[in-house]
Amino acid sequence: MFFEAKEYPTAARILRGLVAEHPEQTAQRLLLARAYYHSAQLGRAEEELRVIVERDPVEHYARLMLGRTLERQGRSEEAAPHLRLAGAMVGDLPE
């Protein structure tokens, strides 16, 4: 509902509480990272995404988001390996 309304800061506030209550659950943490990303809280998005990929290195969407988050911060070199891995995980390999 908050994502549809583009109320990303509100979504982040609610999701922070859910992640605090259930830190082991990836789905809420991924949504929190998305809310941070869309509200330009890129440092916070990066923190959440790094937690996810540390716990689950083959979580392709978290890798993709981490790469995009790093790119958006002007850190393209650091982003590249994450984007390549995300692409490889879904079969999107360069020819």
Coordinates of all heavy atoms in Angstrom, one line a residue:
M1 N 0.8 -1.2 0.0 CA 0.0 0.0 0.0 C 0.9 1.3 0.0 O 0.7 2.2 -0.8 CB -0.9 -0.1 1.2 CG -1.6 1.2 1.6 SD -2.8 1.0 2.9 CE -1.8 1.0 4.3
F2 N 1.9 1.3 0.9 CA 2.8 2.5 0.9 C 3.7 2.6 -0.3 O 4.0 3.7 -0.7 CB 3.6 2.5 2.2 CG 2.8 2.6 3.4 CD1 2.6 1.6 4.3 CD2 2.1 3.8 3.7 CE1 1.9 1.7 5.5 CE2 1.4 3.9 4.9 CZ 1.2 2.9 5.7
F3 N 4.0 1.4 -0.9 CA 4.8 1.4 -2.1 C 4.0 2.0 -3.3 O 4.5 2.8 -4.1 CB 5.4 0.1 -2.4 CG 6.6 -0.3 -1.6 CD1 6.6 -0.8 -0.4 CD2 7.9 0.0 -2.2 CE1 7.7 -1.1 0.3 CE2 9.1 -0.3 -1.5 CZ 9.0 -0.9 -0.2
E4 N 2.8 1.5 -3.4 CA 1.9 2.0 -4.4 C 1.7 3.5 -4.3 O 1.7 4.2 -5.3 CB 0.5 1.4 -4.3 CG 0.4 0.1 -5.1 CD -1.0 -0.5 -5.1 OE1 -2.0 0.3 -5.2 OE2 -1.1 -1.7 -5.1
A5 N 1.6 4.0 -3.1 CA 1.4 5.5 -2.9 C 2.7 6.2 -2.9 O 2.7 7.5 -2.8 CB 0.7 5.7 -1.6
K6 N 3.8 5.5 -3.1 CA 5.2 6.1 -3.1 C 5.5 6.8 -1.8 O 6.2 7.8 -1.8 CB 5.3 7.0 -4.3 CG 5.2 6.3 -5.6 CD 5.5 7.1 -6.8 CE 5.4 6.2 -8.0 NZ 5.7 6.8 -9.3
E7 N 5.0 6.3 -0.7 CA 5.2 6.8 0.6 C 6.4 5.9 1.2 O 6.2 5.2 2.2 CB 4.0 6.6 1.5 CG 2.8 7.6 1.1 CD 3.1 9.0 1.4 OE1 3.9 9.3 2.3 OE2 2.6 9.9 0.7
Y8 N 7.5 6.0 0.6 CA 8.7 5.2 1.0 C 9.2 5.5 2.4 O 9.5 4.5 3.1 CB 9.8 5.3 -0.1 CG 9.3 4.9 -1.4 CD1 9.3 5.9 -2.5 CD2 8.8 3.7 -1.7 CE1 8.8 5.5 -3.7 CE2 8.4 3.3 -3.0 CZ 8.4 4.3 -4.0 OH 7.9 3.9 -5.2
P9 N 9.3 6.7 2.8 CA 9.7 6.9 4.2 C 8.8 6.3 5.3 O 9.2 5.7 6.3 CB 9.7 8.5 4.4 CG 9.9 9.0 3.0 CD 9.1 8.0 2.1
T10 N 7.5 6.4 5.0 CA 6.5 5.7 5.9 C 6.7 4.2 5.9 O 6.7 3.6 6.9 CB 5.1 6.1 5.5 OG1 4.9 7.5 5.5 CG2 4.0 5.5 6.5
A11 N 6.8 3.7 4.7 CA 7.1 2.2 4.6 C 8.3 1.8 5.3 O 8.3 0.8 6.0 CB 7.2 1.8 3.1
A12 N 9.4 2.6 5.2 CA 10.6 2.3 5.9 C 10.4 2.3 7.4 O 10.9 1.4 8.1 CB 11.7 3.3 5.5
R13 N 9.7 3.3 7.9 CA 9.5 3.4 9.3 C 8.8 2.1 9.8 O 9.1 1.6 10.9 CB 8.7 4.7 9.7 CG 8.6 5.0 11.1 CD 7.9 6.2 11.5 NE 6.4 6.1 11.1 CZ 5.8 6.8 10.1 NH1 6.5 7.6 9.4 NH2 4.5 6.6 9.9
I14 N 7.8 1.7 9.1 CA 7.0 0.5 9.5 C 7.9 -0.7 9.4 O 7.9 -1.6 10.3 CB 5.7 0.4 8.7 CG1 4.8 1.5 9.1 CG2 5.1 -1.0 8.9 CD1 3.6 1.7 8.1
L15 N 8.6 -0.9 8.3 CA 9.4 -2.0 8.1 C 10.6 -2.1 9.0 O 11.0 -3.2 9.4 CB 9.9 -2.0 6.6 CG 8.8 -2.3 5.6 CD1 9.2 -1.9 4.2 CD2 8.4 -3.8 5.6
R16 N 11.1 -1.0 9.5 CA 12.2 -1.0 10.5 C 11.8 -1.8 11.7 O 12.5 -2.6 12.3 CB 12.6 0.4 10.9 CG 13.8 0.9 10.2 CD 14.4 2.2 10.8 NE 13.4 3.2 11.1 CZ 13.1 4.2 10.2 NH1 13.7 4.3 9.1 NH2 12.2 5.1 10.6
G17 N 10.5 -1.6 12.1 CA 10.0 -2.3 13.3 C 9.9 -3.8 13.0 O 10.2 -4.6 13.9
L18 N 9.4 -4.1 11.9 CA 9.2 -5.6 11.5 C 10.6 -6.2 11.5 O 10.8 -7.4 12.0 CB 8.5 -5.7 10.2 CG 7.0 -5.4 10.2 CD1 6.5 -5.4 8.8 CD2 6.3 -6.4 11.1
V19 N 11.6 -5.6 10.9 CA 12.9 -6.1 10.8 C 13.5 -6.3 12.2 O 14.2 -7.3 12.5 CB 13.8 -5.3 9.9 CG1 15.3 -5.7 10.0 CG2 13.3 -5.5 8.4
A20 N 13.3 -5.3 13.1 CA 13.8 -5.4 14.4 C 13.2 -6.6 15.2 O 13.9 -7.3 15.9 CB 13.5 -4.1 15.2
E21 N 11.9 -6.9 14.9 CA 11.2 -8.0 15.6 C 11.6 -9.3 15.0 O 11.7 -10.3 15.7 CB 9.7 -7.8 15.4 CG 9.1 -6.7 16.3 CD 7.6 -6.6 16.1 OE1 6.9 -7.6 15.7 OE2 7.1 -5.5 16.2
H22 N 11.9 -9.4 13.7 CA 12.3 -10.6 13.0 C 13.5 -10.4 12.1 O 13.4 -10.5 10.9 CB 11.1 -11.1 12.2 CG 9.8 -11.2 12.9 ND1 9.6 -12.3 13.8 CD2 8.7 -10.4 13.1 CE1 8.4 -12.2 14.4 NE2 7.9 -11.0 13.9
P23 N 14.6 -10.2 12.7 CA 15.8 -9.9 11.9 C 16.3 -11.0 11.0 O 17.0 -10.7 10.0 CB 16.9 -9.6 13.0 CG 16.4 -10.2 14.2 CD 14.9 -10.3 14.1
E24 N 15.9 -12.2 11.2 CA 16.3 -13.3 10.4 C 15.5 -13.4 9.1 O 15.9 -14.1 8.2 CB 16.2 -14.6 11.2 CG 14.8 -15.1 11.4 CD 14.0 -14.4 12.4 OE1 14.5 -13.5 13.2 OE2 12.7 -14.6 12.5
Q25 N 14.4 -12.7 9.0 CA 13.5 -12.9 7.8 C 14.0 -11.9 6.7 O 14.1 -10.7 6.8 CB 12.1 -12.6 8.2 CG 11.5 -13.7 9.1 CD 10.1 -13.5 9.3 OE1 9.4 -12.6 8.8 NE2 9.5 -14.4 10.1
T26 N 14.3 -12.5 5.5 CA 14.8 -11.8 4.4 C 13.8 -10.9 3.7 O 14.1 -9.8 3.3 CB 15.4 -12.8 3.4 OG1 16.5 -13.5 4.0 CG2 16.0 -12.1 2.1
A27 N 12.6 -11.3 3.6 CA 11.5 -10.6 2.8 C 11.3 -9.2 3.4 O 11.3 -8.2 2.6 CB 10.2 -11.4 2.8
Q28 N 11.2 -9.0 4.7 CA 11.0 -7.7 5.3 C 12.2 -6.8 5.1 O 12.1 -5.7 4.8 CB 10.6 -7.8 6.8 CG 9.3 -8.3 7.1 CD 9.3 -9.8 7.3 OE1 9.9 -10.6 6.6 NE2 8.5 -10.2 8.3
R29 N 13.4 -7.4 5.3 CA 14.6 -6.7 5.1 C 14.8 -6.2 3.7 O 15.3 -5.1 3.5 CB 15.8 -7.5 5.6 CG 17.1 -6.7 5.8 CD 18.2 -7.6 6.3 NE 18.0 -8.1 7.7 CZ 18.3 -7.4 8.8 NH1 18.8 -6.2 8.7 NH2 18.0 -7.9 10.0
L30 N 14.4 -7.0 2.7 CA 14.5 -6.6 1.3 C 13.5 -5.5 1.0 O 13.9 -4.5 0.3 CB 14.2 -7.8 0.5 CG 14.6 -7.8 -1.0 CD1 16.1 -7.3 -1.2 CD2 14.4 -9.1 -1.7
L31 N 12.3 -5.6 1.6 CA 11.4 -4.5 1.4 C 11.9 -3.2 2.0 O 11.7 -2.1 1.5 CB 10.0 -4.8 2.0 CG 9.2 -5.7 1.1 CD1 7.9 -6.2 1.9 CD2 8.8 -5.0 -0.2
L32 N 12.5 -3.3 3.2 CA 13.1 -2.2 3.9 C 14.2 -1.5 3.0 O 14.2 -0.3 2.9 CB 13.6 -2.6 5.3 CG 14.3 -1.5 6.1 CD1 13.4 -0.3 6.3 CD2 14.8 -2.0 7.4
A33 N 15.0 -2.4 2.5 CA 16.1 -1.9 1.6 C 15.5 -1.1 0.4 O 16.0 -0.1 0.0 CB 17.0 -3.0 1.1
R34 N 14.4 -1.7 -0.2 CA 13.8 -1.0 -1.3 C 13.2 0.3 -0.9 O 13.3 1.3 -1.6 CB 12.6 -1.9 -1.9 CG 13.1 -3.0 -2.7 CD 12.0 -3.9 -3.3 NE 11.1 -3.1 -4.1 CZ 9.8 -3.3 -4.2 NH1 9.3 -4.4 -3.6 NH2 9.0 -2.5 -4.9
A35 N 12.6 0.4 0.3 CA 12.0 1.6 0.8 C 13.1 2.7 1.0 O 13.0 3.8 0.6 CB 11.3 1.4 2.1
Y36 N 14.2 2.3 1.5 CA 15.4 3.2 1.7 C 15.9 3.6 0.3 O 16.2 4.8 0.1 CB 16.5 2.5 2.4 CG 16.3 2.4 3.9 CD1 16.8 1.3 4.6 CD2 15.6 3.3 4.7 CE1 16.7 1.2 6.0 CE2 15.5 3.2 6.0 CZ 16.0 2.1 6.7 OH 15.9 2.0 8.1
Y37 N 16.0 2.7 -0.6 CA 16.5 3.0 -2.0 C 15.6 4.1 -2.6 O 16.1 5.1 -3.1 CB 16.6 1.8 -2.8 CG 17.0 2.0 -4.2 CD1 18.4 2.0 -4.6 CD2 16.1 2.2 -5.2 CE1 18.8 2.2 -5.9 CE2 16.5 2.4 -6.6 CZ 17.9 2.4 -6.9 OH 18.3 2.7 -8.1
H38 N 14.3 3.8 -2.6 CA 13.4 4.7 -3.3 C 13.2 6.1 -2.6 O 12.8 7.1 -3.2 CB 12.0 4.1 -3.4 CG 12.0 3.0 -4.5 ND1 12.3 3.2 -5.8 CD2 11.8 1.7 -4.4 CE1 12.2 2.1 -6.5 NE2 11.9 1.1 -5.6
S39 N 13.6 6.1 -1.3 CA 13.6 7.4 -0.6 C 14.9 8.1 -0.5 O 15.2 9.0 0.3 CB 12.9 7.2 0.8 OG 13.7 6.4 1.6
A40 N 15.9 7.6 -1.3 CA 17.2 8.1 -1.4 C 18.0 8.0 -0.1 O 19.0 8.8 0.1 CB 17.2 9.5 -2.0
Q41 N 17.7 7.0 0.7 CA 18.5 6.7 1.9 C 19.5 5.6 1.5 O 19.3 4.5 2.0 CB 17.6 6.4 3.0 CG 16.7 7.5 3.5 CD 15.8 7.0 4.6 OE1 16.2 6.8 5.7 NE2 14.5 7.0 4.3
L42 N 20.4 5.9 0.6 CA 21.2 4.9 0.0 C 22.2 4.2 0.9 O 22.4 3.0 0.8 CB 22.0 5.5 -1.2 CG 21.1 6.1 -2.3 CD1 21.9 6.8 -3.4 CD2 20.1 5.1 -2.8
G43 N 22.7 4.9 1.9 CA 23.6 4.3 2.9 C 22.8 3.2 3.7 O 23.4 2.1 3.9
R44 N 21.6 3.5 4.1 CA 20.8 2.6 4.8 C 20.4 1.4 3.9 O 20.4 0.3 4.4 CB 19.6 3.3 5.4 CG 19.9 4.2 6.5 CD 18.6 4.8 7.0 NE 18.9 5.6 8.3 CZ 18.0 6.3 8.9 NH1 16.8 6.3 8.5 NH2 18.4 6.9 10.0
A45 N 20.1 1.7 2.7 CA 19.7 0.6 1.8 C 20.9 -0.3 1.6 O 20.8 -1.6 1.7 CB 19.3 1.2 0.4
E46 N 22.1 0.2 1.5 CA 23.3 -0.6 1.3 C 23.5 -1.5 2.5 O 23.9 -2.6 2.4 CB 24.5 0.3 1.1 CG 25.8 -0.4 0.9 CD 27.0 0.5 0.8 OE1 26.9 1.7 0.6 OE2 28.1 0.0 0.9
E47 N 23.4 -0.9 3.7 CA 23.5 -1.7 4.9 C 22.6 -2.9 5.0 O 23.1 -4.0 5.3 CB 23.3 -0.8 6.2 CG 24.3 0.2 6.5 CD 23.9 1.1 7.6 OE1 23.1 0.7 8.5 OE2 24.4 2.2 7.7
E48 N 21.4 -2.7 4.7 CA 20.4 -3.8 4.7 C 20.7 -4.8 3.6 O 20.7 -6.0 3.9 CB 19.0 -3.3 4.5 CG 18.5 -2.4 5.6 CD 18.5 -3.0 7.0 OE1 18.4 -4.2 7.1 OE2 18.7 -2.2 8.0
L49 N 21.1 -4.4 2.5 CA 21.4 -5.3 1.4 C 22.7 -6.1 1.7 O 22.7 -7.3 1.3 CB 21.5 -4.5 0.1 CG 20.2 -3.9 -0.4 CD1 20.4 -2.9 -1.5 CD2 19.3 -5.0 -0.9
R50 N 23.6 -5.5 2.3 CA 24.8 -6.2 2.6 C 24.6 -7.3 3.7 O 25.2 -8.4 3.6 CB 25.9 -5.3 3.1 CG 26.5 -4.5 2.0 CD 27.8 -3.8 2.4 NE 28.3 -2.9 1.3 CZ 29.0 -3.3 0.3 NH1 29.3 -4.6 0.1 NH2 29.4 -2.5 -0.6
V51 N 23.7 -7.0 4.6 CA 23.3 -8.1 5.6 C 22.6 -9.3 4.8 O 23.0 -10.4 5.1 CB 22.3 -7.5 6.6 CG1 21.6 -8.6 7.4 CG2 23.0 -6.5 7.5
I52 N 21.8 -9.0 3.9 CA 21.1 -10.0 3.1 C 22.1 -10.9 2.3 O 22.1 -12.1 2.4 CB 20.0 -9.5 2.2 CG1 18.9 -8.8 3.0 CG2 19.5 -10.6 1.3 CD1 17.9 -8.0 2.2
V53 N 23.0 -10.2 1.6 CA 23.9 -11.0 0.7 C 25.0 -11.7 1.6 O 25.5 -12.7 1.2 CB 24.6 -10.2 -0.4 CG1 23.6 -9.8 -1.5 CG2 25.3 -9.0 0.1
E54 N 25.3 -11.2 2.8 CA 26.2 -11.9 3.6 C 25.5 -13.2 4.1 O 26.1 -14.3 4.2 CB 26.5 -11.1 4.8 CG 27.5 -11.7 5.8 CD 27.9 -10.8 6.9 OE1 28.4 -9.7 6.6 OE2 27.8 -11.2 8.1
R55 N 24.2 -13.2 4.5 CA 23.5 -14.3 4.9 C 23.2 -15.3 3.8 O 23.1 -16.5 4.0 CB 22.2 -13.9 5.6 CG 22.4 -13.2 6.9 CD 21.0 -12.9 7.5 NE 21.2 -12.1 8.7 CZ 20.2 -11.6 9.3 NH1 18.9 -11.7 8.8 NH2 20.4 -10.9 10.4
D56 N 22.8 -14.7 2.6 CA 22.4 -15.5 1.5 C 23.1 -15.0 0.2 O 22.5 -14.2 -0.5 CB 20.9 -15.5 1.4 CG 20.3 -16.4 0.3 OD1 21.1 -17.1 -0.3 OD2 19.1 -16.4 0.1
P57 N 24.3 -15.5 -0.1 CA 25.1 -15.0 -1.2 C 24.4 -15.2 -2.6 O 24.8 -14.5 -3.5 CB 26.4 -15.7 -1.1 CG 26.5 -16.3 0.3 CD 25.0 -16.5 0.7
V58 N 23.4 -16.1 -2.7 CA 22.8 -16.3 -3.9 C 21.4 -15.6 -4.0 O 20.6 -15.9 -4.9 CB 22.7 -17.8 -4.3 CG1 24.0 -18.4 -4.4 CG2 21.9 -18.5 -3.2
E59 N 21.1 -14.7 -3.2 CA 19.9 -13.9 -3.3 C 20.1 -12.9 -4.4 O 20.6 -11.8 -4.2 CB 19.6 -13.2 -1.9 CG 18.4 -12.2 -1.9 CD 17.2 -12.7 -2.5 OE1 16.5 -13.6 -2.1 OE2 16.8 -12.0 -3.6
H60 N 19.6 -13.3 -5.6 CA 19.9 -12.5 -6.8 C 19.3 -11.0 -6.7 O 20.0 -10.1 -7.2 CB 19.5 -13.2 -8.1 CG 18.1 -13.2 -8.3 ND1 17.2 -14.1 -7.7 CD2 17.3 -12.4 -9.1 CE1 16.0 -13.8 -8.1 NE2 16.0 -12.8 -9.0
Y61 N 18.1 -10.9 -6.2 CA 17.5 -9.6 -6.2 C 18.3 -8.6 -5.3 O 18.5 -7.4 -5.6 CB 16.0 -9.6 -5.9 CG 15.3 -8.3 -6.1 CD1 15.2 -7.8 -7.3 CD2 14.9 -7.6 -5.0 CE1 14.6 -6.5 -7.5 CE2 14.2 -6.4 -5.2 CZ 14.1 -5.8 -6.4 OH 13.5 -4.6 -6.6
A62 N 18.7 -9.1 -4.1 CA 19.5 -8.3 -3.2 C 20.8 -7.9 -3.9 O 21.3 -6.8 -3.7 CB 19.8 -9.1 -1.9
R63 N 21.5 -8.8 -4.6 CA 22.7 -8.5 -5.4 C 22.4 -7.4 -6.4 O 23.2 -6.4 -6.5 CB 23.2 -9.7 -6.1 CG 23.8 -10.7 -5.3 CD 25.3 -10.5 -5.1 NE 25.8 -11.5 -4.2 CZ 26.9 -11.4 -3.6 NH1 27.7 -10.4 -3.7 NH2 27.4 -12.4 -2.8
L64 N 21.3 -7.5 -7.1 CA 21.0 -6.5 -8.1 C 20.7 -5.2 -7.5 O 21.3 -4.1 -7.9 CB 19.7 -6.9 -8.9 CG 19.1 -5.9 -9.9 CD1 20.1 -5.7 -11.0 CD2 17.8 -6.4 -10.4
M65 N 20.0 -5.2 -6.4 CA 19.7 -3.9 -5.7 C 21.0 -3.3 -5.1 O 21.1 -2.1 -5.1 CB 18.7 -4.1 -4.6 CG 17.3 -4.2 -5.1 SD 16.1 -4.1 -3.7 CE 16.5 -2.5 -3.0
L66 N 21.8 -4.2 -4.6 CA 23.1 -3.6 -4.0 C 23.9 -3.0 -5.1 O 24.4 -1.9 -4.9 CB 23.9 -4.8 -3.3 CG 25.2 -4.4 -2.7 CD1 25.1 -3.2 -1.7 CD2 25.8 -5.6 -2.0
G67 N 24.0 -3.6 -6.3 CA 24.7 -3.1 -7.4 C 24.1 -1.7 -7.8 O 24.8 -0.7 -8.0
R68 N 22.8 -1.7 -7.9 CA 22.2 -0.4 -8.3 C 22.3 0.7 -7.3 O 22.5 1.9 -7.6 CB 20.7 -0.7 -8.6 CG 20.4 -1.6 -9.7 CD 19.9 -0.9 -10.9 NE 19.8 -1.8 -12.1 CZ 18.8 -2.5 -12.5 NH1 17.7 -2.4 -11.7 NH2 18.8 -3.2 -13.5
T69 N 22.3 0.3 -6.0 CA 22.5 1.2 -4.9 C 23.9 1.8 -5.0 O 24.1 3.0 -4.8 CB 22.2 0.6 -3.5 OG1 20.9 0.1 -3.5 CG2 22.4 1.5 -2.4
L70 N 24.9 1.0 -5.2 CA 26.3 1.4 -5.3 C 26.5 2.3 -6.5 O 27.1 3.4 -6.4 CB 27.2 0.2 -5.3 CG 27.3 -0.6 -4.0 CD1 28.0 -1.9 -4.2 CD2 27.9 0.2 -2.9
E71 N 25.8 2.0 -7.6 CA 25.9 2.8 -8.8 C 25.3 4.2 -8.5 O 25.9 5.2 -8.9 CB 25.1 2.2 -10.0 CG 25.8 1.1 -10.7 CD 25.0 0.6 -11.9 OE1 23.8 0.6 -11.9 OE2 25.6 0.2 -12.9
R72 N 24.2 4.2 -7.9 CA 23.5 5.5 -7.6 C 24.4 6.4 -6.7 O 24.2 7.6 -6.7 CB 22.2 5.2 -7.0 CG 21.2 6.3 -7.1 CD 19.8 5.8 -6.8 NE 19.0 6.9 -6.4 CZ 17.8 6.9 -5.8 NH1 17.3 5.7 -5.5 NH2 17.2 7.9 -5.5
Q73 N 25.3 5.7 -5.9 CA 26.2 6.5 -5.1 C 27.5 6.9 -5.8 O 28.4 7.4 -5.2 CB 26.5 5.7 -3.8 CG 25.4 5.5 -2.9 CD 25.8 4.6 -1.7 OE1 26.5 5.1 -0.8 NE2 25.3 3.3 -1.7
G74 N 27.5 6.6 -7.1 CA 28.7 6.9 -7.9 C 29.9 5.9 -7.7 O 31.0 6.2 -7.9
R75 N 29.6 4.7 -7.3 CA 30.6 3.6 -6.9 C 30.4 2.5 -7.9 O 30.3 1.3 -7.6 CB 30.4 3.2 -5.5 CG 30.6 4.3 -4.5 CD 30.0 4.1 -3.2 NE 30.5 2.9 -2.5 CZ 29.9 2.5 -1.4 NH1 28.8 3.1 -0.8 NH2 30.3 1.4 -0.8
S76 N 30.6 2.8 -9.2 CA 30.3 1.9 -10.3 C 31.3 0.7 -10.3 O 30.9 -0.5 -10.5 CB 30.4 2.6 -11.7 OG 29.4 3.5 -11.8
E77 N 32.5 0.9 -10.0 CA 33.5 -0.2 -9.9 C 33.1 -1.2 -8.8 O 33.2 -2.4 -9.0 CB 34.9 0.3 -9.6 CG 35.7 0.7 -10.8 CD 37.1 1.0 -10.5 OE1 37.8 0.2 -9.7 OE2 37.6 2.0 -11.0
E78 N 32.7 -0.7 -7.7 CA 32.2 -1.6 -6.6 C 30.9 -2.3 -6.9 O 30.7 -3.4 -6.5 CB 32.1 -0.7 -5.3 CG 32.1 -1.5 -4.1 CD 32.0 -0.6 -2.8 OE1 32.4 0.6 -2.9 OE2 31.6 -1.1 -1.8
A79 N 30.1 -1.6 -7.7 CA 28.8 -2.2 -8.1 C 28.9 -3.3 -9.1 O 28.1 -4.3 -9.1 CB 27.9 -1.1 -8.7
A80 N 29.9 -3.2 -10.0 CA 30.0 -4.1 -11.2 C 30.0 -5.6 -10.8 O 29.2 -6.4 -11.4 CB 31.2 -3.8 -12.0
P81 N 30.7 -6.1 -9.8 CA 30.7 -7.5 -9.5 C 29.3 -8.0 -9.0 O 28.9 -9.1 -9.4 CB 31.7 -7.7 -8.4 CG 32.5 -6.5 -8.4 CD 31.7 -5.4 -9.0
H82 N 28.6 -7.1 -8.3 CA 27.3 -7.5 -7.8 C 26.3 -7.6 -9.0 O 25.5 -8.5 -9.0 CB 26.8 -6.5 -6.8 CG 27.6 -6.5 -5.5 ND1 27.6 -7.5 -4.6 CD2 28.5 -5.6 -5.1 CE1 28.5 -7.2 -3.6 NE2 29.0 -6.1 -3.9
L83 N 26.4 -6.7 -9.9 CA 25.5 -6.7 -11.0 C 25.8 -7.9 -11.9 O 24.9 -8.5 -12.5 CB 25.6 -5.4 -11.8 CG 25.1 -4.1 -11.1 CD1 25.5 -2.9 -11.8 CD2 23.7 -4.2 -10.8
R84 N 27.1 -8.2 -12.1 CA 27.4 -9.4 -12.9 C 26.9 -10.7 -12.3 O 26.3 -11.5 -12.9 CB 28.9 -9.5 -13.1 CG 29.4 -8.6 -14.2 CD 30.9 -8.9 -14.6 NE 31.8 -8.8 -13.5 CZ 32.5 -7.8 -13.1 NH1 32.3 -6.6 -13.8 NH2 33.3 -7.8 -12.1
L85 N 27.1 -10.8 -11.0 CA 26.6 -12.0 -10.3 C 25.1 -12.1 -10.4 O 24.5 -13.2 -10.6 CB 27.0 -11.9 -8.8 CG 28.4 -12.4 -8.4 CD1 28.7 -12.1 -7.0 CD2 28.4 -13.9 -8.6
A86 N 24.4 -11.0 -10.2 CA 22.9 -11.0 -10.3 C 22.5 -11.4 -11.7 O 21.6 -12.3 -11.8 CB 22.3 -9.6 -9.9
G87 N 23.2 -10.9 -12.7 CA 22.8 -11.3 -14.0 C 23.1 -12.8 -14.3 O 22.3 -13.5 -14.9
A88 N 24.2 -13.3 -13.8 CA 24.6 -14.7 -14.0 C 23.6 -15.6 -13.3 O 23.2 -16.7 -13.8 CB 26.0 -14.9 -13.5
M89 N 23.1 -15.2 -12.1 CA 22.1 -16.0 -11.3 C 20.8 -16.2 -12.0 O 20.1 -17.2 -11.8 CB 21.9 -15.4 -9.9 CG 23.1 -15.5 -9.0 SD 22.8 -14.7 -7.5 CE 24.4 -14.5 -6.9
V90 N 20.4 -15.2 -12.9 CA 19.2 -15.3 -13.6 C 19.4 -15.7 -15.1 O 18.4 -15.6 -15.8 CB 18.3 -14.0 -13.4 CG1 17.9 -13.8 -12.0 CG2 19.0 -12.8 -14.0
G91 N 20.6 -16.0 -15.4 CA 20.9 -16.4 -16.8 C 21.0 -15.2 -17.8 O 21.0 -15.5 -19.0
D92 N 21.2 -14.1 -17.3 CA 21.4 -12.9 -18.2 C 22.9 -12.6 -18.4 O 23.4 -11.7 -17.8 CB 20.7 -11.7 -17.5 CG 20.7 -10.5 -18.5 OD1 20.9 -10.6 -19.7 OD2 20.5 -9.4 -17.9
L93 N 23.5 -13.5 -19.2 CA 24.9 -13.3 -19.4 C 25.2 -12.6 -20.7 O 24.5 -12.7 -21.7 CB 25.6 -14.7 -19.5 CG 25.4 -15.6 -18.2 CD1 25.9 -17.0 -18.5 CD2 26.3 -15.0 -17.1
P94 N 26.3 -11.7 -20.6 CA 26.6 -11.0 -21.9 C 27.1 -12.0 -22.9 O 27.7 -13.0 -22.6 CB 27.8 -10.1 -21.4 CG 28.3 -10.6 -20.1 CD 27.2 -11.4 -19.5
E95 N 26.9 -11.6 -24.2 CA 27.3 -12.5 -25.3 C 28.7 -12.3 -25.6 O 29.3 -11.3 -25.6 CB 26.4 -12.2 -26.5 CG 24.9 -12.3 -26.1 CD 24.2 -13.3 -26.9 OE1 24.7 -13.8 -27.9 OE2 23.0 -13.6 -26.5

